[in-house]
Amino acid sequence: KRLMATPMRHSDFLLSFLVSRGLFLLPEMGLLLGVGHFVLGVPIEGSLLLLALVIIVGAAAFAGIGMLLASRTEKTESVSGLLNLVMLPQYVLSGVFFSSSRFPAEAQPVIQALPLTQLNDCMRAVMLEGQGLADIGWRLAILLAYAVGTFALALKWFRWR
């Protein structure tokens, strides 16, 4: 209610959440990647700059999804349930725990449309195979479309009461 009394634009308010999360994102990911690489021996074959770009675009996509889901609920408890509803199928289908290529060919278009599939495949391509921007550009475009689309819908549908 107090935010509604300020002259802040709604888009600035939602963008501030993205920026604040982004400030913590890169140090956290740097620490995780450092531990993975130096302690666990996970290779990083590709560009660290490209890997940072993948992380930022992926985080923006999922932040947008979170904001979109939050914009449709009245209570915090409802958001938790909606997030589980959206994320659980992605955990199962997107190659987090086992290869998404093991699913039937009929399911592959749906699996490839999921943002977590694209994020997993981008990170694997850069880290393990040393691929460049030209190789993963279409995957990043899908993630960016999720980020822009969900942020725009959240801004439009957010309940500002």
Side-chain angles (χ1 to χ4, degrees), residues 88-108:
L88 187 61
Q90 290 191 63
Y91 295 146
V92 172
L93 299 173
S94 294
V96 173
F97 299 111
F98 42 85
S99 176
S100 60
S101 64
R102 302 261 182 205
F103 287 96
E106 296 81 18
Q108 288 303 317

PDB file of all heavy atoms in Angstrom, residues 88-108:
ATOM      1  N   LEU A  88       8.169 -28.552 -10.849  1.00  0.00           N
ATOM      2  CA  LEU A  88       8.321 -30.002 -10.717  1.00  0.00           C
ATOM      3  C   LEU A  88       8.379 -30.719 -12.064  1.00  0.00           C
ATOM      4  O   LEU A  88       9.272 -31.554 -12.281  1.00  0.00           O
ATOM      5  CB  LEU A  88       7.225 -30.587  -9.821  1.00  0.00           C
ATOM      6  CG  LEU A  88       7.396 -32.057  -9.475  1.00  0.00           C
ATOM      7  CD1 LEU A  88       8.692 -32.284  -8.712  1.00  0.00           C
ATOM      8  CD2 LEU A  88       6.220 -32.557  -8.668  1.00  0.00           C
ATOM      9  N   PRO A  89       7.474 -30.423 -13.004  1.00  0.00           N
ATOM     10  CA  PRO A  89       7.620 -31.074 -14.318  1.00  0.00           C
ATOM     11  C   PRO A  89       8.941 -30.736 -15.009  1.00  0.00           C
ATOM     12  O   PRO A  89       9.512 -31.577 -15.707  1.00  0.00           O
ATOM     13  CB  PRO A  89       6.432 -30.530 -15.121  1.00  0.00           C
ATOM     14  CG  PRO A  89       5.461 -30.051 -14.108  1.00  0.00           C
ATOM     15  CD  PRO A  89       6.259 -29.620 -12.925  1.00  0.00           C
ATOM     16  N   GLN A  90       9.425 -29.520 -14.794  1.00  0.00           N
ATOM     17  CA  GLN A  90      10.702 -29.154 -15.411  1.00  0.00           C
ATOM     18  C   GLN A  90      11.855 -29.946 -14.804  1.00  0.00           C
ATOM     19  O   GLN A  90      12.775 -30.357 -15.510  1.00  0.00           O
ATOM     20  CB  GLN A  90      10.955 -27.652 -15.265  1.00  0.00           C
ATOM     21  CG  GLN A  90      10.024 -26.826 -16.124  1.00  0.00           C
ATOM     22  CD  GLN A  90      10.449 -25.396 -16.191  1.00  0.00           C
ATOM     23  OE1 GLN A  90      11.542 -25.098 -16.695  1.00  0.00           O
ATOM     24  NE2 GLN A  90       9.615 -24.504 -15.694  1.00  0.00           N
ATOM     25  N   TYR A  91      11.818 -30.147 -13.497  1.00  0.00           N
ATOM     26  CA  TYR A  91      12.868 -30.948 -12.859  1.00  0.00           C
ATOM     27  C   TYR A  91      12.906 -32.358 -13.444  1.00  0.00           C
ATOM     28  O   TYR A  91      13.972 -32.917 -13.669  1.00  0.00           O
ATOM     29  CB  TYR A  91      12.654 -31.044 -11.354  1.00  0.00           C
ATOM     30  CG  TYR A  91      12.763 -29.746 -10.600  1.00  0.00           C
ATOM     31  CD1 TYR A  91      11.975 -29.520  -9.484  1.00  0.00           C
ATOM     32  CD2 TYR A  91      13.639 -28.745 -10.984  1.00  0.00           C
ATOM     33  CE1 TYR A  91      12.062 -28.332  -8.769  1.00  0.00           C
ATOM     34  CE2 TYR A  91      13.731 -27.559 -10.282  1.00  0.00           C
ATOM     35  CZ  TYR A  91      12.938 -27.360  -9.172  1.00  0.00           C
ATOM     36  OH  TYR A  91      13.023 -26.193  -8.475  1.00  0.00           O
ATOM     37  N   VAL A  92      11.739 -32.911 -13.681  1.00  0.00           N
ATOM     38  CA  VAL A  92      11.656 -34.280 -14.186  1.00  0.00           C
ATOM     39  C   VAL A  92      12.037 -34.355 -15.668  1.00  0.00           C
ATOM     40  O   VAL A  92      12.758 -35.247 -16.087  1.00  0.00           O
ATOM     41  CB  VAL A  92      10.233 -34.853 -13.962  1.00  0.00           C
ATOM     42  CG1 VAL A  92      10.064 -36.198 -14.639  1.00  0.00           C
ATOM     43  CG2 VAL A  92       9.934 -34.958 -12.473  1.00  0.00           C
ATOM     44  N   LEU A  93      11.567 -33.399 -16.464  1.00  0.00           N
ATOM     45  CA  LEU A  93      11.703 -33.492 -17.919  1.00  0.00           C
ATOM     46  C   LEU A  93      12.956 -32.837 -18.491  1.00  0.00           C
ATOM     47  O   LEU A  93      13.381 -33.180 -19.587  1.00  0.00           O
ATOM     48  CB  LEU A  93      10.476 -32.861 -18.593  1.00  0.00           C
ATOM     49  CG  LEU A  93       9.120 -33.500 -18.288  1.00  0.00           C
ATOM     50  CD1 LEU A  93       7.998 -32.664 -18.880  1.00  0.00           C
ATOM     51  CD2 LEU A  93       9.071 -34.921 -18.807  1.00  0.00           C
ATOM     52  N   SER A  94      13.548 -31.891 -17.802  1.00  0.00           N
ATOM     53  CA  SER A  94      14.566 -31.026 -18.400  1.00  0.00           C
ATOM     54  C   SER A  94      15.993 -31.520 -18.322  1.00  0.00           C
ATOM     55  O   SER A  94      16.912 -30.781 -18.673  1.00  0.00           O
ATOM     56  CB  SER A  94      14.487 -29.633 -17.767  1.00  0.00           C
ATOM     57  OG  SER A  94      13.281 -29.026 -18.107  1.00  0.00           O
ATOM     58  N   GLY A  95      16.218 -32.688 -17.852  1.00  0.00           N
ATOM     59  CA  GLY A  95      17.580 -33.197 -17.815  1.00  0.00           C
ATOM     60  C   GLY A  95      18.351 -32.827 -16.574  1.00  0.00           C
ATOM     61  O   GLY A  95      19.580 -32.877 -16.575  1.00  0.00           O
ATOM     62  N   VAL A  96      17.672 -32.455 -15.508  1.00  0.00           N
ATOM     63  CA  VAL A  96      18.358 -32.129 -14.263  1.00  0.00           C
ATOM     64  C   VAL A  96      18.900 -33.403 -13.626  1.00  0.00           C
ATOM     65  O   VAL A  96      20.052 -33.455 -13.208  1.00  0.00           O
ATOM     66  CB  VAL A  96      17.412 -31.398 -13.284  1.00  0.00           C
ATOM     67  CG1 VAL A  96      18.061 -31.219 -11.924  1.00  0.00           C
ATOM     68  CG2 VAL A  96      16.999 -30.050 -13.854  1.00  0.00           C
ATOM     69  N   PHE A  97      18.070 -34.426 -13.559  1.00  0.00           N
ATOM     70  CA  PHE A  97      18.448 -35.668 -12.879  1.00  0.00           C
ATOM     71  C   PHE A  97      18.862 -36.772 -13.842  1.00  0.00           C
ATOM     72  O   PHE A  97      19.644 -37.631 -13.482  1.00  0.00           O
ATOM     73  CB  PHE A  97      17.303 -36.153 -11.996  1.00  0.00           C
ATOM     74  CG  PHE A  97      16.945 -35.154 -10.929  1.00  0.00           C
ATOM     75  CD1 PHE A  97      15.744 -34.470 -10.979  1.00  0.00           C
ATOM     76  CD2 PHE A  97      17.815 -34.887  -9.892  1.00  0.00           C
ATOM     77  CE1 PHE A  97      15.416 -33.549 -10.004  1.00  0.00           C
ATOM     78  CE2 PHE A  97      17.498 -33.964  -8.917  1.00  0.00           C
ATOM     79  CZ  PHE A  97      16.295 -33.284  -8.973  1.00  0.00           C
ATOM     80  N   PHE A  98      18.301 -36.754 -15.046  1.00  0.00           N
ATOM     81  CA  PHE A  98      18.670 -37.726 -16.073  1.00  0.00           C
ATOM     82  C   PHE A  98      18.398 -37.097 -17.431  1.00  0.00           C
ATOM     83  O   PHE A  98      17.684 -36.107 -17.530  1.00  0.00           O
ATOM     84  CB  PHE A  98      17.909 -39.049 -15.912  1.00  0.00           C
ATOM     85  CG  PHE A  98      16.459 -38.892 -15.581  1.00  0.00           C
ATOM     86  CD1 PHE A  98      15.518 -38.697 -16.589  1.00  0.00           C
ATOM     87  CD2 PHE A  98      16.029 -38.916 -14.270  1.00  0.00           C
ATOM     88  CE1 PHE A  98      14.183 -38.539 -16.286  1.00  0.00           C
ATOM     89  CE2 PHE A  98      14.680 -38.746 -13.966  1.00  0.00           C
ATOM     90  CZ  PHE A  98      13.764 -38.551 -14.967  1.00  0.00           C
ATOM     91  N   SER A  99      18.977 -37.648 -18.459  1.00  0.00           N
ATOM     92  CA  SER A  99      18.959 -37.046 -19.792  1.00  0.00           C
ATOM     93  C   SER A  99      17.545 -36.875 -20.335  1.00  0.00           C
ATOM     94  O   SER A  99      16.738 -37.810 -20.324  1.00  0.00           O
ATOM     95  CB  SER A  99      19.774 -37.902 -20.755  1.00  0.00           C
ATOM     96  OG  SER A  99      19.685 -37.368 -22.055  1.00  0.00           O
ATOM     97  N   SER A 100      17.265 -35.675 -20.836  1.00  0.00           N
ATOM     98  CA  SER A 100      15.952 -35.423 -21.435  1.00  0.00           C
ATOM     99  C   SER A 100      15.818 -36.128 -22.778  1.00  0.00           C
ATOM    100  O   SER A 100      14.706 -36.322 -23.268  1.00  0.00           O
ATOM    101  CB  SER A 100      15.727 -33.917 -21.606  1.00  0.00           C
ATOM    102  OG  SER A 100      16.722 -33.365 -22.434  1.00  0.00           O
ATOM    103  N   SER A 101      16.908 -36.538 -23.371  1.00  0.00           N
ATOM    104  CA  SER A 101      16.841 -37.244 -24.661  1.00  0.00           C
ATOM    105  C   SER A 101      16.270 -38.652 -24.517  1.00  0.00           C
ATOM    106  O   SER A 101      15.925 -39.281 -25.514  1.00  0.00           O
ATOM    107  CB  SER A 101      18.231 -37.307 -25.295  1.00  0.00           C
ATOM    108  OG  SER A 101      19.099 -38.080 -24.497  1.00  0.00           O
ATOM    109  N   ARG A 102      16.151 -39.139 -23.300  1.00  0.00           N
ATOM    110  CA  ARG A 102      15.587 -40.475 -23.060  1.00  0.00           C
ATOM    111  C   ARG A 102      14.065 -40.512 -23.190  1.00  0.00           C
ATOM    112  O   ARG A 102      13.484 -41.581 -23.231  1.00  0.00           O
ATOM    113  CB  ARG A 102      15.968 -40.966 -21.664  1.00  0.00           C
ATOM    114  CG  ARG A 102      17.446 -41.031 -21.447  1.00  0.00           C
ATOM    115  CD  ARG A 102      17.920 -42.417 -21.625  1.00  0.00           C
ATOM    116  NE  ARG A 102      19.344 -42.471 -21.364  1.00  0.00           N
ATOM    117  CZ  ARG A 102      20.088 -43.400 -21.891  1.00  0.00           C
ATOM    118  NH1 ARG A 102      19.571 -44.292 -22.677  1.00  0.00           N
ATOM    119  NH2 ARG A 102      21.369 -43.419 -21.631  1.00  0.00           N
ATOM    120  N   PHE A 103      13.430 -39.346 -23.224  1.00  0.00           N
ATOM    121  CA  PHE A 103      11.975 -39.305 -23.363  1.00  0.00           C
ATOM    122  C   PHE A 103      11.591 -39.545 -24.819  1.00  0.00           C
ATOM    123  O   PHE A 103      12.394 -39.330 -25.726  1.00  0.00           O
ATOM    124  CB  PHE A 103      11.435 -37.959 -22.869  1.00  0.00           C
ATOM    125  CG  PHE A 103      11.484 -37.823 -21.378  1.00  0.00           C
ATOM    126  CD1 PHE A 103      12.547 -37.185 -20.760  1.00  0.00           C
ATOM    127  CD2 PHE A 103      10.475 -38.345 -20.584  1.00  0.00           C
ATOM    128  CE1 PHE A 103      12.606 -37.067 -19.387  1.00  0.00           C
ATOM    129  CE2 PHE A 103      10.533 -38.237 -19.203  1.00  0.00           C
ATOM    130  CZ  PHE A 103      11.594 -37.605 -18.605  1.00  0.00           C
ATOM    131  N   PRO A 104      10.359 -39.980 -25.065  1.00  0.00           N
ATOM    132  CA  PRO A 104       9.935 -40.273 -26.441  1.00  0.00           C
ATOM    133  C   PRO A 104      10.017 -39.044 -27.349  1.00  0.00           C
ATOM    134  O   PRO A 104       9.931 -37.901 -26.892  1.00  0.00           O
ATOM    135  CB  PRO A 104       8.463 -40.712 -26.289  1.00  0.00           C
ATOM    136  CG  PRO A 104       8.236 -40.924 -24.849  1.00  0.00           C
ATOM    137  CD  PRO A 104       9.314 -40.243 -24.087  1.00  0.00           C
ATOM    138  N   ALA A 105      10.146 -39.298 -28.634  1.00  0.00           N
ATOM    139  CA  ALA A 105      10.258 -38.221 -29.628  1.00  0.00           C
ATOM    140  C   ALA A 105       9.039 -37.310 -29.600  1.00  0.00           C
ATOM    141  O   ALA A 105       9.158 -36.105 -29.852  1.00  0.00           O
ATOM    142  CB  ALA A 105      10.445 -38.818 -31.022  1.00  0.00           C
ATOM    143  N   GLU A 106       7.878 -37.854 -29.276  1.00  0.00           N
ATOM    144  CA  GLU A 106       6.656 -37.048 -29.242  1.00  0.00           C
ATOM    145  C   GLU A 106       6.710 -35.990 -28.136  1.00  0.00           C
ATOM    146  O   GLU A 106       6.087 -34.946 -28.249  1.00  0.00           O
ATOM    147  CB  GLU A 106       5.420 -37.936 -29.021  1.00  0.00           C
ATOM    148  CG  GLU A 106       5.149 -38.922 -30.129  1.00  0.00           C
ATOM    149  CD  GLU A 106       5.996 -40.188 -30.039  1.00  0.00           C
ATOM    150  OE1 GLU A 106       6.561 -40.489 -28.964  1.00  0.00           O
ATOM    151  OE2 GLU A 106       6.111 -40.873 -31.077  1.00  0.00           O
ATOM    152  N   ALA A 107       7.445 -36.262 -27.074  1.00  0.00           N
ATOM    153  CA  ALA A 107       7.534 -35.333 -25.952  1.00  0.00           C
ATOM    154  C   ALA A 107       8.636 -34.291 -26.141  1.00  0.00           C
ATOM    155  O   ALA A 107       8.662 -33.285 -25.435  1.00  0.00           O
ATOM    156  CB  ALA A 107       7.773 -36.098 -24.650  1.00  0.00           C
ATOM    157  N   GLN A 108       9.534 -34.506 -27.088  1.00  0.00           N
ATOM    158  CA  GLN A 108      10.694 -33.624 -27.236  1.00  0.00           C
ATOM    159  C   GLN A 108      10.347 -32.166 -27.549  1.00  0.00           C
ATOM    160  O   GLN A 108      10.994 -31.267 -26.993  1.00  0.00           O
ATOM    161  CB  GLN A 108      11.664 -34.179 -28.280  1.00  0.00           C
ATOM    162  CG  GLN A 108      12.414 -35.404 -27.821  1.00  0.00           C
ATOM    163  CD  GLN A 108      13.197 -35.187 -26.538  1.00  0.00           C
ATOM    164  OE1 GLN A 108      13.850 -34.164 -26.345  1.00  0.00           O
ATOM    165  NE2 GLN A 108      13.131 -36.153 -25.634  1.00  0.00           N
TER     166      GLN A 108
END
